[in-house]
Amino acid sequence: MEKKKLAVIALSGGMDSCVTAAIANQDYNLALLHINYGQKTENRELTAFHDIAEFYNAEKKMVIEFTHFQKIGGSSLTDKNIEISKADLENKEIPTSYVPFRNANILSACVSWAEVIDAEAIFIGAVYEDSSGYPDCRPDFFSAFEQVINLGTKPQTQIKIETPIIYMKKSEIIQKGLELNAPFSLTWSCYQNEEEACGVCDSCALRLRAFQELGLEDPIPYKTRPNYAKKQQEQ
Amino acid sequence: MEKKKLAVIALSGGMDSCVTAAIANQDYNLALLHINYGQKTENRELTAFHDIAEFYNAEKKMVIEFTHFQKIGGSSLTDKNIEISKADLENKEIPTSYVPFRNANILSACVSWAEVIDAEAIFIGAVYEDSSGYPDCRPDFFSAFEQVINLGTKPQTQIKIETPIIYMKKSEIIQKGLELNAPFSLTWSCYQNEEEACGVCDSCALRLRAFQELGLEDPIPYKTRPNYAKKQQEQ
């Protein structure tokens, strides 16, 4: 059997990155990278990361501490003085959960690791259209970053960025995950709580709505499960 | 008097970043950012950073820990199993001191901070032609990164990257620093030692050669001061 190539996967432990790992797992051996950046649900996300890594029997895994996002602040995810806002899925403004330029920081660390371990691709579970409107989730951002990789690494280094779910709706991501047997029960998406998902932050709302649209039950525990799909139909 | 704009300066504490800060100081208030990334001379560089910050009476300063470069390895600066090679200023290969994609990691953190504090520019003391040949010091790399900033931050965020010494020879950097009264005696460039600069690593060699070409004495202590300028004339 031909030895599979190696890819670095940015794995937060959320649903999107888990499905992204499931997709990468079809063609690559996995080098899973998790970043603690002082987000409020850091411990729960880290548990999800290790559980998913075990599920996929990852070839390599690495956990990194980014201390600067908490020092820098400017986001409800990292600054305890900024409240996690309740979801407003119709709002087109950049939400308070935007962590400034987070994906560039994450990708940069992925590239550093990928260059040393000879990985050929970096997978990141960014979602553009059906997402919270973070500027660093735009497809153009990733194309431009790929150009930066070409210019800023050794001539022999060839690393592409793969964003396999960027154009998917959340419900399509779930369908893709089901098709690939992704372990949704091990994932964690909530921005606010660590024991039961809050059910009302942006991240919970997007996830719950998608499961509801498909007529499925999200297998993780929630404190409350508002019916987001119904609310939308009523409008 | 008009309030000056704010700029983030990536300040390692070396000669190049110090002269870059001197240049930025003409037009901007300074927000100085230093990154400990597990390099062997971390403590000495941090002292240089604080000394230079005090010299310039910086408006803001921040020190960040990057733990991942040491975990990732692949560089003689961060991996104790890779020896710091003696300088070979004629060698055009990428030296072992190359830290994979370091400048992208540094710039990403600078941008995150700049976006939150409303800084309009990021200054970085990269040197291209008369340097060690790191791919992430190329002018094209920085232009491409500027494009990533435009795409990956909020629409109202406008941050340009300034690389004022990128085309300068080391001796020109020294002349520029002298012209602006940059505090060379507070800087630290050596990759190897923390008490006296080794005089033989790439970084010491480039610095010493430039001072020697100008017929000047470098004000910092060296263990040994080989005559690099003479060696070159003999060839």
Side-chain angles (χ1 to χ4, degrees), chain B residues 21-34:
Chain B
I23 293 168
N25 188 53
Q26 298 177 289
D27 298 312
Y28 291 89
N29 285 323
L30 306 185
L32 302 178
L33 180 69
H34 181 77

PDB file of all heavy atoms in Angstrom, chain B residues 21-34:
ATOM      1  N   ALA B  21      13.219  51.002  14.536  1.00  0.00           N
ATOM      2  CA  ALA B  21      12.454  51.779  15.523  1.00  0.00           C
ATOM      3  C   ALA B  21      12.848  53.251  15.460  1.00  0.00           C
ATOM      4  O   ALA B  21      11.986  54.142  15.568  1.00  0.00           O
ATOM      5  CB  ALA B  21      12.693  51.228  16.928  1.00  0.00           C
ATOM      6  N   ALA B  22      14.127  53.513  15.264  1.00  0.00           N
ATOM      7  CA  ALA B  22      14.599  54.908  15.154  1.00  0.00           C
ATOM      8  C   ALA B  22      13.942  55.609  13.967  1.00  0.00           C
ATOM      9  O   ALA B  22      13.552  56.776  14.047  1.00  0.00           O
ATOM     10  CB  ALA B  22      16.124  54.932  15.021  1.00  0.00           C
ATOM     11  N   ILE B  23      13.799  54.867  12.871  1.00  0.00           N
ATOM     12  CA  ILE B  23      13.165  55.437  11.669  1.00  0.00           C
ATOM     13  C   ILE B  23      11.667  55.665  11.932  1.00  0.00           C
ATOM     14  O   ILE B  23      11.134  56.735  11.630  1.00  0.00           O
ATOM     15  CB  ILE B  23      13.377  54.499  10.454  1.00  0.00           C
ATOM     16  CG1 ILE B  23      14.875  54.464  10.083  1.00  0.00           C
ATOM     17  CG2 ILE B  23      12.520  54.943   9.263  1.00  0.00           C
ATOM     18  CD1 ILE B  23      15.253  53.355   9.101  1.00  0.00           C
ATOM     19  N   ALA B  24      11.010  54.676  12.509  1.00  0.00           N
ATOM     20  CA  ALA B  24       9.574  54.800  12.803  1.00  0.00           C
ATOM     21  C   ALA B  24       9.320  55.960  13.758  1.00  0.00           C
ATOM     22  O   ALA B  24       8.327  56.688  13.622  1.00  0.00           O
ATOM     23  CB  ALA B  24       9.046  53.500  13.407  1.00  0.00           C
ATOM     24  N   ASN B  25      10.218  56.160  14.672  1.00  0.00           N
ATOM     25  CA  ASN B  25      10.091  57.193  15.704  1.00  0.00           C
ATOM     26  C   ASN B  25      10.020  58.614  15.125  1.00  0.00           C
ATOM     27  O   ASN B  25       9.547  59.536  15.777  1.00  0.00           O
ATOM     28  CB  ASN B  25      11.273  57.073  16.674  1.00  0.00           C
ATOM     29  CG  ASN B  25      11.141  57.974  17.891  1.00  0.00           C
ATOM     30  OD1 ASN B  25      10.124  57.933  18.573  1.00  0.00           O
ATOM     31  ND2 ASN B  25      12.157  58.789  18.132  1.00  0.00           N
ATOM     32  N   GLN B  26      10.471  58.769  13.887  1.00  0.00           N
ATOM     33  CA  GLN B  26      10.388  60.097  13.260  1.00  0.00           C
ATOM     34  C   GLN B  26       8.944  60.505  12.986  1.00  0.00           C
ATOM     35  O   GLN B  26       8.614  61.681  13.022  1.00  0.00           O
ATOM     36  CB  GLN B  26      11.176  60.097  11.937  1.00  0.00           C
ATOM     37  CG  GLN B  26      12.667  59.812  12.108  1.00  0.00           C
ATOM     38  CD  GLN B  26      13.375  59.748  10.757  1.00  0.00           C
ATOM     39  OE1 GLN B  26      13.192  58.816   9.986  1.00  0.00           O
ATOM     40  NE2 GLN B  26      14.152  60.783  10.460  1.00  0.00           N
ATOM     41  N   ASP B  27       8.116  59.529  12.672  1.00  0.00           N
ATOM     42  CA  ASP B  27       6.749  59.853  12.238  1.00  0.00           C
ATOM     43  C   ASP B  27       5.634  59.259  13.079  1.00  0.00           C
ATOM     44  O   ASP B  27       4.471  59.588  12.872  1.00  0.00           O
ATOM     45  CB  ASP B  27       6.535  59.349  10.797  1.00  0.00           C
ATOM     46  CG  ASP B  27       7.474  60.022   9.828  1.00  0.00           C
ATOM     47  OD1 ASP B  27       7.583  61.261   9.882  1.00  0.00           O
ATOM     48  OD2 ASP B  27       8.124  59.304   9.041  1.00  0.00           O
ATOM     49  N   TYR B  28       5.985  58.347  13.974  1.00  0.00           N
ATOM     50  CA  TYR B  28       4.942  57.622  14.702  1.00  0.00           C
ATOM     51  C   TYR B  28       5.231  57.577  16.199  1.00  0.00           C
ATOM     52  O   TYR B  28       6.391  57.607  16.610  1.00  0.00           O
ATOM     53  CB  TYR B  28       4.884  56.165  14.221  1.00  0.00           C
ATOM     54  CG  TYR B  28       4.368  55.986  12.822  1.00  0.00           C
ATOM     55  CD1 TYR B  28       5.247  56.010  11.734  1.00  0.00           C
ATOM     56  CD2 TYR B  28       3.017  55.783  12.573  1.00  0.00           C
ATOM     57  CE1 TYR B  28       4.779  55.833  10.434  1.00  0.00           C
ATOM     58  CE2 TYR B  28       2.540  55.603  11.285  1.00  0.00           C
ATOM     59  CZ  TYR B  28       3.426  55.631  10.218  1.00  0.00           C
ATOM     60  OH  TYR B  28       2.958  55.458   8.938  1.00  0.00           O
ATOM     61  N   ASN B  29       4.174  57.445  16.982  1.00  0.00           N
ATOM     62  CA  ASN B  29       4.336  56.967  18.350  1.00  0.00           C
ATOM     63  C   ASN B  29       4.551  55.460  18.281  1.00  0.00           C
ATOM     64  O   ASN B  29       3.974  54.783  17.419  1.00  0.00           O
ATOM     65  CB  ASN B  29       3.093  57.291  19.182  1.00  0.00           C
ATOM     66  CG  ASN B  29       3.033  58.762  19.543  1.00  0.00           C
ATOM     67  OD1 ASN B  29       4.057  59.383  19.818  1.00  0.00           O
ATOM     68  ND2 ASN B  29       1.835  59.325  19.523  1.00  0.00           N
ATOM     69  N   LEU B  30       5.348  54.947  19.198  1.00  0.00           N
ATOM     70  CA  LEU B  30       5.783  53.561  19.073  1.00  0.00           C
ATOM     71  C   LEU B  30       5.016  52.608  19.995  1.00  0.00           C
ATOM     72  O   LEU B  30       4.876  52.852  21.193  1.00  0.00           O
ATOM     73  CB  LEU B  30       7.279  53.440  19.399  1.00  0.00           C
ATOM     74  CG  LEU B  30       8.232  54.344  18.616  1.00  0.00           C
ATOM     75  CD1 LEU B  30       9.685  54.020  18.977  1.00  0.00           C
ATOM     76  CD2 LEU B  30       8.035  54.202  17.107  1.00  0.00           C
ATOM     77  N   ALA B  31       4.552  51.519  19.402  1.00  0.00           N
ATOM     78  CA  ALA B  31       3.997  50.384  20.156  1.00  0.00           C
ATOM     79  C   ALA B  31       4.952  49.230  19.865  1.00  0.00           C
ATOM     80  O   ALA B  31       4.958  48.674  18.767  1.00  0.00           O
ATOM     81  CB  ALA B  31       2.579  50.062  19.676  1.00  0.00           C
ATOM     82  N   LEU B  32       5.796  48.917  20.843  1.00  0.00           N
ATOM     83  CA  LEU B  32       6.892  47.973  20.593  1.00  0.00           C
ATOM     84  C   LEU B  32       6.492  46.557  20.993  1.00  0.00           C
ATOM     85  O   LEU B  32       6.021  46.325  22.109  1.00  0.00           O
ATOM     86  CB  LEU B  32       8.131  48.403  21.375  1.00  0.00           C
ATOM     87  CG  LEU B  32       8.646  49.816  21.071  1.00  0.00           C
ATOM     88  CD1 LEU B  32       9.860  50.130  21.946  1.00  0.00           C
ATOM     89  CD2 LEU B  32       9.009  49.956  19.595  1.00  0.00           C
ATOM     90  N   LEU B  33       6.704  45.632  20.084  1.00  0.00           N
ATOM     91  CA  LEU B  33       6.330  44.232  20.326  1.00  0.00           C
ATOM     92  C   LEU B  33       7.570  43.349  20.277  1.00  0.00           C
ATOM     93  O   LEU B  33       8.335  43.380  19.314  1.00  0.00           O
ATOM     94  CB  LEU B  33       5.344  43.765  19.240  1.00  0.00           C
ATOM     95  CG  LEU B  33       4.866  42.320  19.351  1.00  0.00           C
ATOM     96  CD1 LEU B  33       3.969  42.143  20.567  1.00  0.00           C
ATOM     97  CD2 LEU B  33       4.114  41.906  18.096  1.00  0.00           C
ATOM     98  N   HIS B  34       7.736  42.576  21.339  1.00  0.00           N
ATOM     99  CA  HIS B  34       8.874  41.655  21.389  1.00  0.00           C
ATOM    100  C   HIS B  34       8.360  40.233  21.531  1.00  0.00           C
ATOM    101  O   HIS B  34       7.399  39.979  22.255  1.00  0.00           O
ATOM    102  CB  HIS B  34       9.767  41.987  22.591  1.00  0.00           C
ATOM    103  CG  HIS B  34      10.965  41.100  22.705  1.00  0.00           C
ATOM    104  ND1 HIS B  34      12.072  41.250  21.901  1.00  0.00           N
ATOM    105  CD2 HIS B  34      11.235  40.040  23.512  1.00  0.00           C
ATOM    106  CE1 HIS B  34      12.977  40.332  22.219  1.00  0.00           C
ATOM    107  NE2 HIS B  34      12.494  39.586  23.188  1.00  0.00           N
TER     108      HIS B  34
END
